[in-house]
Structures are given as C-alpha cells and as structure tokens.
C-alpha cells in the first residue's frame, strides 16, 4: 500500500496503474488466504466433491470496483461466494454437504480478511450483494445462483453484476458462472426500462445525500463519481445485450466506446472521462492521508491545502474551482441523459401530451367529452379512435400488465395520442399503432423505450402513418423499434460496402459453430436494412431504382453469407470437395444463380428469390477430402438443402427469404443442384423458350470456391441466348406464354387495372424485352450485357432495333408502374390501379406490343 501510494503521489503512476495495482493486491490477498484456508479446512473436514467425485473449489466473485479493477485506496470489497456443484465431503467419517463446507470456508475467509489484530485489518468485507442478501446462504451452487437470478433477480442486481469478476479460487469455473448469468444482466433487446430503476436508485442516493448533508461528497454528491458510473451503466444495461463491446466492467473503456460508437457525443464522453480521472485521483488522495474510507472534502484549512498540493494545484481555491467545473459538467450531462420526457414542462407540446389526453386515456371522461376532445385534436374518426383506446385499456394486454408495466403504459399513451393526432389520418394510424402496442405490451422495456424517447415515438407514428406494411413489419419484429432512435441512420440506408462491414462485425460476435445465433443475426440484419430502405422510400428521399438497388444488394450479400455458412458447416464435417480433370487435381465450387427480380436488380419489398444452384464438379475421383468423405454430388445436394434451411427456417425472427427454385432444369421434378456441365446440356438441347426468356435476366449472385463459376456461366448464357431463332416461331411461343400467364395470374377485381398482368402492364413490357433480346442477340451481343429491363431497352434503341420514342415510352411506363407497385406494397394492398389510371401509358404499351408481337393479326385485319 505504501508503494502504491508513493507512486501515485509522486506522479510516477497514472490512475489506471494505481487502480489496477490496488485491485490486484486485493485479489492476491483473497486468493492466498483462500488457498491456505481451503487446505486447512479440507484436512479437517474432508474434500468437497460433486456427485461424480470431482473435487470442488470455492469461487470468489468480486463485485463493484474490485470486479472492475477500479479499487480505491481505502475501500470495502464486495464479495459473492459460489461453488460449481452440490455434493458432499469425502475422506472423513462425518460428511458435510458442499454447501455446509463452503459456507464455513467463506466465513473463515471473510474473518481472516476483516478481523482486527494488533496489525490492523486487511479489508472490510461486504457480502450483502449475494442472492437474498443477509438472509441468504453465504455460498451457493452454480445451479442455485442461476435459478435465483432467473426467477428472483432484481433490477439493481443487474446493475451490480456489470462489474462482477472471478477474483479468487477457481477462476475458470467462475468465468463459466458469470457467462451463464449474462442473459440476466444484458437483454437481447434495447432495454430502456432501466431508466426508471436507475432513476429510482439515484433519487434514493440524492435523498440520502441531502439528509446527511453530503453535498461536498465527491462520490455521491451532484456531479460525483456515482453519476458518471450511472451514465456508463445506463448505456450498458440498455445496449449491452446487442453490443458486446459494452459488456465491459471498466467505466473509462465504456465511456471511450460510447463516444466512438456515437451513443454519446465525443466531447461528452471525453468530458466525463476527464472528470472521472480527476475525481478518482482526488478520492485516492483523500484516502491516502490516513487510510480512511472518506469521500468528503476537508473543512480544515491545512487539510484543504494538503489535498490541493497533492493534486498539483497551488492552493485550495484553484483546486476547488477545477473540482466544481468537473462536477457541474458531469451533473449537467447526467440530468440531460436521465431527464424524463413525459415529466417535462407542457410548454413544449411535442414532449408533453397535456392533462386532457391523460384523462382521456385513463377513461375518466364521459363519451361526449372524449369525442369532443378527439375532434379538437384533429382525429378524423373520433368514434373509432375512442373504440380503439377503450379496447386497449379494457383488454387483456393492459389488464395482464404488472404495476410497473401499467405505469409505463399510462406514461406512454398520452404522448402517443398527441403524436398520432398530428398524422394525416389519425384514426387509421392509431389502429396500426395500437396493434403494435398490444404486441409489445408484455415487454414493457419497449413501452419505456417509446416513452423515454420522443424522437423514437415520433418516428414510429410517422412510419405507421405512411405505411401499414412498415407498421406490420414493426409489429412482427419489435426489435426494430431500436432503429427509431437515430433518424440519421433510419433514413440513410448503407451502401454495399457499409452493409458488408456491418454484417461482418455482427457475425464476428457470434461463435462460428452457433448456427442458430447466426441465423437470427442474419434475419435481424435483413429486417433492419429493409426498414431503413422503406423509411427512406416513404420519406421520398430515395428514387424507385435506388430502392431496388439497395434491396437487391442486401439480398446478394445475405445469399453470399448463407452460402459461406453452409459451406463452412459441411466442409468441417466432410472436408472440401475435390476431383481430377485430365489427371490434374481440381477444387470444384458452387454458385447461386438469380433469375427474375433478383437477377434483374429489381427486387421489391417481400419479393421471393428465384434461384438455381450449380456446381462445377466433373471428371474423376469426385469426393470430399475429410474423414467422413462423401461423393461430391451428395455434398452439393446437402449444401443446397442447408442453404434452403437457413433461408426458409421459421425462427423467432421469422423467415430470411422465401425462395423459388422452379426455374431449375426440369422444374420441381429436377435435381436440387445441377452440375454446370449438365445444366449447359439442358439449356442447349431441352430447355423451352420460356426458360430462355427467364435466362435473359439470369446472373450469378453468390459463389464459393477457388475457381469462379460466374465467368463460365455468363459465357454459357451468351452462347445459348445468341443462337439464331425463327422469328415467327419465337413470336408465337412468347405470345402464347403471355396469354396463358395473363389468364392464370390476374388478381385484381373487374373494373380495375392489374399493374402486372393486364394488357399494357408490367409483364407485357418484360415479355417484349425478353422477346427482343432472344430475337436480336445473335447479331447484337451487347444486348446481353445487362439483365435489368431499363438498360436492355436502352440497348434496343442504341442498336436501332426499336425507336427511341418507343423505348422512352416503355421505360417511362415501366418506372411508373413499378413505383405504383411499390406504393401498393407499402400500403399492403393488391398491385392494382383504377381502370382509367395510366391510360396513356397502357395504350402506348399495347400499341408497341401489337406492333412487335401481333403484327400478323394486324396485317390480316388490314
């Protein structure tokens, strides 16, 4: 202790070294004492063993500053004692249960550390943080600890366990125990419910500080050490389940990460860090003078001067000025972060709902008053709004809430009503939001998230008002509510590089062999970024083509990741596939070929993925190289099945993508995975014209292996599509397929325009593009460069195969139709329009269709 104090006072050690040394010293004292006591006690009482005969050791969990390696100079040590398994002692005639043995050992350890002798004492030991506090056993088995925290753990115990660390005894087993408790400490969702509990803890501290006159207390006073710790731990409890970087006991590292991740402004994180270092140094200097456990500023002139000089200030006034600056800064940030929006002045109408809406929600108004209020607040259907509110308040979801849950709902609903009243269609918006509230009611942390964050609440109402599809997405996946906290990211979807980086970081936090967590992470990643695209789309800040670009890039990235996961899983079991071609070893690969909207870079919300699986294994010795070697054909079939499972499996986060594989050779009756060789033969000798039509939009979107399949696939595609075709036969086949599709797939009511299937609609344009590509590619190979319809049409104009005016009309019509289809999707409506809507475009598309594909009939009629 003398060495640590000397180095601190001389300025030879920074704060981090001083705190780490004090913590290491305490852990060494505990561990050395425990080792000696355990040896003596086992000789006296026998060796504690599990039912399987495995010797057991006590685990000492350090809490608070000891656990975080932040121990101050004259500190209590907060300890919890545990042991791995129940059992009994062996080696002595009288046997004790392991609980009896370890309770005695923990008592002896505590006494050895805390007992006063002629040489003083080692540490004051506090064991009240253990399960059930003073009334609970001094030591518990791991199973009993897990059961306690699962069924009885309280909010403040989550706060306490943030800093927990195994400091003595069986450190490895202690780490296992603490890992098992992480789900209790850190929720998988953003847990804004901790605001309420931490505010309550802080209020108790404030009352105690005022009662005891502790305003000049640098730990508990306003702007003191505890407020800095509260700020860091607030973010840890809210976000730690989703961000492993925050599962860190050290407050300075937490503050640094909060600034880096922009959860706090960088200057705020730095000011809090600077204040923490200043206050902790002052705390140690106060305690080093007489080894007293004090946090109070001295009143004596000499002691004040001594403290100021030890902190490198020339006098008390200079030190006090610096101290007050730090503490005022901390308290300002603390108040801003912990402010309760629902309690703020009603002078800000966007943050305060007013007493009238509170009374409305609580049902203390009669129906006439309620109706009048809703009309005054701008509700277009006051009766429906009142019915929805009564249904929610009187329904099961509200009645089943705990007292805390009801308080949160009661705080939220007036704020929500005020926000909904500003929507264009308040009653319809309220219906969508109420559906979501009923879904999340039992997870009251979500209620807290919305009540604590006016911006998030405003974004929720805005999105629900704009799109029932988005509302349904949020209702199915409430974890997405977290995204509403940052409007900057919500309305600014990431580009391809940003998506790749974020997905890589997300998956790095998950063990490579945990496929279930990986599948959940992929689903949540997709939902987050589809939500961002939809939000930007509804806000009008993203053109249609860019929407499809983003959705397509997202699907491609996920498909590549799914393929990589499935490949890694199978090669770990069976080894990588190999073969011999012309006597040379070859490593075959695998590719996912996209057709339809994915292939054409025109993906929409909720689109299926049309895909085909290919491999390029051929030649001899087609087997995997692992200990459980299998034929390559079996390997690739299992790989395809694994990909489908990852994409289609229903998990708590839903389905990743629905996929359609009917475009593979021979359709549903064909092999799940084809070799590139057999695929080429099928396309060149057996495929129907409609299959070649689909191939116009085909491209490789994901592949695995050292030798790229994509280039060979593209060459095969070009060779096949560039063949010379009989114009009349091609026209008849395309025309016939279109008529059959129109009859089978039209979904809109009579008297309306089916944007996709009716004459002059989307599919007519797509069929004309495919027809033109198949007819003209033999002498215009550049037409096959792109797979999206707009650039294919531009190719028709560039090669003189279609007039510029007709290409412009078809391109404009295609964009307009797809934009309308996107709007229908976001409104959760069929892809239909009024019969006379888009009449000019419809007539133009029909004219070009007739010119291109029905000229014989027109000629005959003439």
């Amino acid at each position: 202790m003398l060495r640590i104090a000397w180095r601190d006072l001389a300025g030879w050690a920074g704060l981090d070294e001083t705190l780490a040394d004090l913590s290491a010293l305490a852990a060494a004292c505990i561990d050395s004492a425990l080792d000696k006591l355990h040896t003596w006690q086992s000789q006296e009482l026998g060796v504690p063993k599990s039912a399987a005969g495995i010797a057991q050791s006590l685990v000492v969990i350090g809490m608070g500053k000891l656990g975080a390696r932040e121990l101050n100079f004259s500190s209590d040590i907060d300890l919890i004692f545990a042991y791995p398994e129940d059992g009994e002692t062996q080696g002595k005639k009288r046997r004790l249960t392991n609980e009896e043995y370890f309770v005695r050992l923990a008592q002896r350890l505590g006494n050895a550390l805390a007992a006063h002798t002629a040489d003083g004492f080692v540490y004051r030991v506090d064991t009240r943080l253990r399960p059930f506090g003073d009334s609970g056993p001094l030591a518990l088995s791991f199973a009993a600890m897990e059961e306690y925290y699962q069924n009885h753990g309280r909010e403040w115990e989550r706060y306490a366990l943030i800093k927990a660390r195994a400091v003595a005894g069986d450190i490895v087993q202690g780490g296992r125990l603490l890992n098992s408790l992480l789900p209790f400490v850190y929720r998988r969702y953003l847990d804004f419910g901790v605001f309420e509990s931490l505010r309550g803890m802080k209020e108790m501290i404030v009352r105690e500080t005022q009662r005891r006159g502790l305003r000049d207390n640098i730990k508990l006073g306003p702007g003191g050490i505890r407020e800095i710790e509260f700020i860091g731990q607030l973010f840890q409890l809210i976000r730690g389940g989703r961000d492993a970087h925050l599962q860190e006991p050290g407050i300075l590292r937490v503050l640094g990460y909060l600034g880096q991740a922009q959860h706090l402004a960088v200057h705020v994180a730095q000011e809090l860090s600077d204040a923490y270092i200043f206050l902790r140094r002052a705390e140690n200097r106060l305690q080093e003078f007489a080894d007293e456990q004090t946090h109070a500023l001295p009143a004596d002139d000499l002691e004040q001067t001594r403290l100021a000089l030890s902190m490198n200030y020339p006098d008390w006034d200079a030190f006090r000025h610096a101290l007050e600056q730090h503490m005022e800064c901390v308290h300002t940030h603390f108040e801003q972060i912990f402010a309760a929006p629902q309690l703020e002045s009603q002078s800000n109408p966007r943050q305060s709902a007013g007493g009238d809406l509170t009374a409305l929600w609580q049902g203390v108004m009669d129906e006439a008053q309620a109706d009048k209020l809703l009309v005054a607040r701008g509700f277009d259907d006051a009766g429906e709004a009142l019915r929805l509110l009564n249904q929610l308040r009187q329904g099961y979801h509200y009645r089943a809430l705990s007292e805390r849950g009801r308080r949160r709902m009661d705080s939220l609903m007036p704020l929500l009503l005020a926000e909904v009243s500003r929507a264009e269609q308040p009653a319809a918006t309220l219906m969508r939001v109420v559906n979501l509230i009923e879904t999340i009611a039992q997870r009251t942390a979500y209620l807290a998230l919305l009540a604590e964050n006016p911006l998030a609440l405003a974004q929720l109402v805005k999105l629900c008002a704009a799109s029932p599809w988005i509302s349904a997405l949020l209702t199915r996946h409430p974890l997405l509510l977290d995204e509403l906290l940052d409007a900057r990211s919500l309305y600014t979807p990431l580009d391809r590089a940003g998506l790749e980086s974020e997905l890589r970081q997300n998956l790095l936090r998950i063990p490579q062999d945990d496929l279930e967590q990986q599948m959940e992470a992929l689903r949540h990643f997709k939902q987050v970024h589809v939500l961002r695209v939809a939000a930007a789309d509804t806000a009008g800040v993203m053109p249609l083509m860019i929407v499809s670009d983003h959705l397509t890039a997202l699907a491609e990235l996920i498909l590549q990741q799914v393929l990589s996961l499935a490949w890694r899983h199978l090669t770990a079991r069976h080894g990588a596939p190999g073969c011999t071609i012309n006597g040379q070893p070859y490593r075959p690969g695998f590719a996912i070929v996209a057709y339809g909207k994915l292939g054409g870079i025109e993906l929409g919300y909720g689109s299926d993925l049309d895909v085909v699986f290919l491999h390029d294994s051929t030649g001899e010795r087609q087997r995997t190289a692992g200990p459980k070697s299998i034929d390559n054909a079996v390997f690739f079939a299992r790989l395809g099945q694994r990909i489908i499972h990852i994409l289609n499996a229903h998990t708590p986060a839903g389905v990743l993508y629905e996929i359609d594989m009917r475009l593979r050779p021979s359709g549903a009756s064909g092999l799940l995975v084809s070799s590139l060789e057999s695929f080429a033969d099928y396309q060149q000798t057996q495929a129907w014209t409609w299959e070649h039509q689909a191939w116009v939009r085909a491209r490789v979107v994901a592949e695995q292996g050292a030798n790229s399949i994509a280039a060979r696939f593209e060459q095969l595609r070009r060779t096949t599509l560039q063949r010379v075709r009989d114009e009349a036969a091609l026209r008849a086949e395309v025309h016939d397929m279109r008529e059959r599709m129109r009859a089978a797939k039209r979904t809109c009511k009579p008297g309306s325009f089916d944007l996709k299937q009716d004459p002059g609609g989307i599919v007519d344009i797509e069929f004309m593009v495919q027809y033109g590509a198949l007819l003209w590619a033999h002498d215009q190979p550049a037409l096959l460069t792109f797979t999206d319809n707009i650039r294919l049409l531009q190719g028709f104009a560039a090669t003189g195969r279609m007039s510029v005016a007709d290409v412009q009309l078809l391109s404009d019509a295609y964009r307009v139709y797809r934009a309308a289809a996107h709007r229908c999707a976001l409104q959760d409506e069929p892809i239909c329009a009024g019969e006379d809507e888009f009449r000019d475009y419809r007539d133009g598309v029909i004219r070009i269709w007739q010119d291109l594909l029905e000229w014989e009939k027109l000629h005959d009629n003439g």
Side-chain angles (χ1 to χ4, degrees):
M1 295 292 280
L2 174 62
R3 179 189 66 81
I4 294 170
W6 190 285
R7 288 181 57 76
D8 178 40
L9 289 164
W12 297 345
L15 177 69
D16 53 349
E17 179 186 323
T18 300
L19 301 185
D21 279 359
L22 289 166
S23 303
L25 173 60
C29 291
I30 298 167
D31 195 52
S32 298
L34 175 60
D35 183 57
K36 185 66 69 177
L37 291 168
H38 183 49
T39 300
W40 290 342
Q41 184 166 298
S42 62
Q43 291 169 353
E44 174 192 354
L45 302 176
V47 177
K49 293 190 176 182
S50 68
I54 300 172
Q56 302 287 290
S57 297
L58 189 68
V59 173
V60 182
I61 304 296
M63 308 292 283
K65 289 184 167 60
L66 173 60
R69 295 184 173 87
E70 296 169 346
L71 205 63
N72 52 322
F73 195 82
S74 183
S75 177
D76 292 354
I77 53 174
D78 296 294
L79 303 179
I80 291 178
F81 303 107
Y83 56 92
E85 296 182 59
D86 283 320
E88 58 184 16
T89 58
Q90 296 181 18
K92 296 294 179 181
K93 185 174 182 180
R94 178 171 177 255
R95 295 193 173 191
L96 300 176
T97 65
N98 284 356
E99 181 178 333
E100 292 172 321
Y101 178 94
F102 286 117
V103 165
R104 290 192 189 187
L105 182 58
Q107 288 171 336
R108 289 177 172 178
L109 177 60
N111 290 336
L113 294 169
H116 286 259
T117 73
D119 297 311
F121 66 95
V122 186
Y123 291 102
R124 291 173 292 270
V125 177
D126 192 334
T127 60
R128 290 174 296 175
L129 293 179
R130 69 185 186 272
F132 300 111
D134 282 340
S135 62
L138 194 57
L140 281 175
S141 69
F142 285 9
M145 294 274 284
E146 291 176 35
E147 191 275 337
Y148 169 81
Y149 287 113
Q150 181 175 348
N151 297 316
H152 306 287
R154 290 159 291 179
E155 285 295 317
W156 69 262
E157 289 175 298
R158 294 177 58 202
Y159 169 83
L161 283 170
I162 286 177
K163 292 180 177 291
R165 173 175 64 97
V167 297
D170 193 331
I171 301 294
V172 173
Q173 289 282 24
R176 183 170 70 82
L177 169 64
L178 292 175
N179 281 335
S180 74
L181 300 181
L182 285 178
F184 166 70
V185 182
Y186 301 107
R187 305 294 194 245
R188 292 184 66 181
Y189 48 86
L190 292 193
D191 187 5
F192 277 82
V194 300
F195 266 106
E196 183 181 336
S197 58
L198 286 179
R199 277 199 200 102
M201 291 174 64
K202 175 59 180 172
E203 286 167 6
M204 286 191 294
I205 292 171
V206 168
R207 287 195 296 270
E208 183 67 8
T209 301
Q210 292 171 344
R211 185 182 68 82
R212 295 167 56 190
L214 300 178
R215 186 163 186 84
D216 278 348
N217 187 299
I218 64 171
K219 177 181 179 181
L220 302 179
I225 295 167
R226 184 58 55 84
E227 286 193 352
I228 301 173
E229 293 174 334
F230 268 26
I231 291 171
Q233 287 158 351
L234 171 71
F235 283 96
Q236 289 181 277
L237 289 176
I238 289 174
R239 298 180 175 275
R242 296 274 300 280
D243 189 341
H245 290 96
L246 290 170
Q247 295 177 15
E248 160 64 55
I251 185 64
L252 286 174
R253 287 186 289 276
V254 168
L255 291 173
Y257 179 72
L258 290 174
Q260 174 189 333
Q262 297 185 331
H263 297 315
L264 285 175
V266 173
H267 77 276
V268 172
Q270 188 61 56
E271 286 169 0
L272 292 171
S273 297
D274 292 344
Y276 182 80
I277 292 169
F278 182 93
L279 292 169
R280 289 304 307 273
R281 289 177 65 232
E283 175 189 45
N284 277 333
R285 305 294 161 80
L286 280 170
Q287 296 179 356
E288 286 164 357
F289 173 61
D291 194 15
E292 291 180 350
Q293 189 182 22
T294 180
H295 296 90
L297 295 173
D300 179 80
D301 289 346
L302 177 59
E303 292 180 7
Q304 289 178 346
T305 303
R306 182 185 291 118
L307 176 59
L309 291 173
S310 74
M311 291 289 291
N312 295 323
Y313 286 90
D315 53 46
W316 175 251
D317 288 341
F319 167 76
R320 184 67 190 241
H321 177 70
L323 175 68
E324 287 175 350
Q325 280 190 314
H326 281 300
M327 296 184 74
E328 285 173 10
C329 180
V330 169
H331 192 60
T332 298
H333 293 317
F334 178 86
E335 289 295 312
Q336 289 174 343
I337 291 168
F338 276 83
Q342 69 270 23
L343 301 179
E344 291 181 8
S345 168
Q346 293 184 19
S347 63
N348 184 345
R350 295 196 66 84
Q351 290 190 338
S352 177
D356 53 358
L357 291 179
T358 299
L360 172 68
W361 163 247
Q362 292 174 348
V364 298
M365 288 183 176
D366 62 37
E367 189 170 336
Q369 286 178 308
D371 190 80
K372 183 178 179 181
L373 172 61
L374 287 167
V375 170
R377 284 281 187 163
F379 277 82
D380 51 335
D381 189 340
E384 174 64 10
L386 188 59
R387 185 191 69 79
L388 288 166
L389 291 175
N390 290 335
Q391 172 185 302
L392 177 60
R393 190 179 62 254
Q394 297 166 8
Y396 166 79
H397 298 286
Y398 181 74
R399 289 185 289 106
L401 287 172
S402 64
E403 182 180 348
R404 173 186 289 182
R406 288 195 183 193
R407 285 201 309 269
R408 290 179 178 174
M409 180 82 89
D410 292 343
S411 296
L412 170 63
M413 288 307 297
L415 299 169
L416 186 144
L417 287 169
E419 201 63 53
V420 168
S421 70
R422 287 184 277 271
E424 190 172 328
Q425 296 179 305
T429 302
L430 182 63
M431 180 181 68
R432 296 166 193 168
V433 177
V434 164
N435 287 338
L436 185 146
I437 294 297
E438 288 178 338
T439 300
I440 67 173
Q442 296 305 313
R443 290 186 177 180
T444 59
Y446 287 130
L447 302 179
L449 182 155
L450 295 172
E452 297 284 357
N453 292 274
L455 177 60
L457 182 60
Q459 297 306 324
L460 170 66
V461 172
K462 178 180 178 181
L463 292 174
C464 287
S467 167
W469 184 88
I470 295 178
S471 171
L473 178 68
L474 292 168
T475 302
R476 288 194 306 272
H477 308 294
L479 273 175
L480 295 176
L481 293 174
D482 306 347
E483 298 303 309
L484 307 182
L485 295 167
D486 186 350
R488 294 170 302 175
S489 61
L490 179 62
Y491 295 99
T492 312
L494 296 176
D495 59 14
R496 178 67 177 255
L499 289 171
E500 288 179 356
S501 175
E502 184 174 309
L503 181 56
R504 182 171 59 254
Q505 292 300 318
N506 289 353
L507 292 174
L508 281 175
R509 300 169 189 156
I510 302 172
Q512 283 200 358
D513 59 350
D514 193 339
L515 182 60
E516 183 178 344
Q517 273 201 60
Q518 290 165 339
M519 289 168 63
E520 289 294 286
L522 284 170
R523 281 155 173 74
H524 183 66
F525 176 80
K526 179 209 171 181
Q527 291 153 7
V528 164
H529 291 286
V530 168
L531 173 64
R532 292 183 183 180
V533 171
D537 191 359
T538 58
V541 298
M542 181 177 289
L544 164 70
M545 305 302 285
I546 304 302
V547 168
S548 289
D549 287 348
H550 276 280
L551 294 175
T552 301
L554 179 62
E556 290 177 17
L557 183 60
I558 289 174
L559 283 175
Q560 182 61 61
Q561 190 60 53
V562 168
L563 171 55
S564 298
L565 289 176
W567 182 276
R568 187 164 63 238
H569 172 84
L570 279 176
T571 54
R573 182 176 179 82
H574 300 294
C579 59
T580 302
I581 302 176
N582 297 324
Q584 298 297 316
Y586 183 78
R587 289 290 183 190
F590 184 94
I592 300 176
V593 179
Y595 287 74
K597 291 180 180 178
L598 178 58
I601 319 175
E602 295 170 353
L603 217 56
Y605 304 109
S607 295
D608 293 351
L609 305 185
D610 296 297
V611 295
V612 167
F613 297 151
L614 299 177
H615 69 80
D616 66 340
S617 179
T618 187
E620 302 173 344
R621 300 177 185 172
Q622 297 187 47
R623 295 192 67 82
T624 63
K628 295 183 178 180
S629 177
I630 55 175
D631 187 83
N632 284 355
V634 175
F635 175 91
F636 287 118
R638 291 181 182 176
L639 181 62
Q641 291 166 349
R642 175 66 58 171
I643 291 169
I644 293 171
H645 168 72
I646 296 173
L647 292 169
N648 279 0
H650 286 266
T651 76
V655 171
L656 191 51
Y657 282 104
E658 297 284 358
I659 64 169
D660 189 337
M661 300 198 62
R662 288 174 296 177
L663 288 173
R664 67 183 187 267
S666 302
S669 63
L671 293 173
L672 183 66
V673 183
S674 301
S675 72
L676 189 60
E677 192 174 48
S678 65
F679 182 77
D681 178 71
Y682 176 85
Q683 291 292 343
Q684 292 173 342
T685 62
Q686 302 176 52
W688 297 81
T689 297
W690 66 263
E691 291 177 284
H692 286 175
Q693 285 181 244
W695 225 15
V696 170
R697 305 176 78 182
R699 60 193 180 90
V700 172
V701 293
E703 61 180 331
Q704 187 77 36
N707 302 285
S708 175
I709 296 177
R712 285 171 287 160
F713 171 83
E714 181 58 22
Q715 182 58 47
L716 171 63
R717 173 178 170 272
R718 284 175 172 270
T719 300
T720 305
L721 297 184
Q722 283 178 229
R723 69 172 58 168
V724 177
R725 300 175 189 267
D726 180 271
E727 184 174 354
L730 177 64
R731 185 185 309 113
E733 289 182 67
V734 171
H735 188 279
D736 181 57
M737 175 57 67
R738 179 71 192 98
E739 290 301 315
R740 280 187 285 157
M741 180 183 291
R742 196 191 320 277
K745 294 193 174 185
R746 191 184 191 282
T747 58
C748 296
K749 296 177 181 178
S752 60
F753 172 41
D754 187 320
L755 285 161
K756 290 185 67 175
Q757 298 297 339
D758 275 351
I762 290 173
V763 179
D764 277 3
I765 298 174
E766 291 175 341
F767 267 55
M768 283 190 278
V769 170
Q770 293 159 13
Y771 170 76
L774 293 178
L775 180 63
W776 301 321
H778 69 94
D779 63 351
Q780 298 292 340
L783 293 177
L784 301 177
T785 302
F786 301 109
T787 59
D788 61 287
N789 286 302
I790 296 298
R791 285 187 291 187
L792 279 161
L793 282 168
Q794 290 170 349
F796 293 171
T799 57
R801 299 295 176 160
M802 188 177 284
S803 72
V804 172
D806 283 354
V807 163
Q808 189 64 53
L809 187 147
L810 291 175
S811 298
D812 290 346
Y814 194 67
R815 291 189 184 97
V816 168
Y817 291 161
R818 286 193 57 224
H822 269 277
R823 289 195 297 272
C824 290
L826 288 172
Q827 295 305 315
D828 234 353
E829 295 174 349
I831 303 178
C832 308
E835 187 172 19
D836 293 325
E837 198 172 353
F838 310 120
R839 173 57 63 188
D840 290 344
Y841 284 124
R842 290 181 65 187
D843 290 345
V845 173
I846 291 171
R847 174 186 59 76
I848 298 170
W849 171 271
Q850 291 173 339
D851 288 347
L852 197 63
L853 285 149
E854 296 185 3
W855 64 271
E856 289 175 331
K857 184 168 65 174
L858 291 172
H859 179 73
D860 292 342
N861 290 342

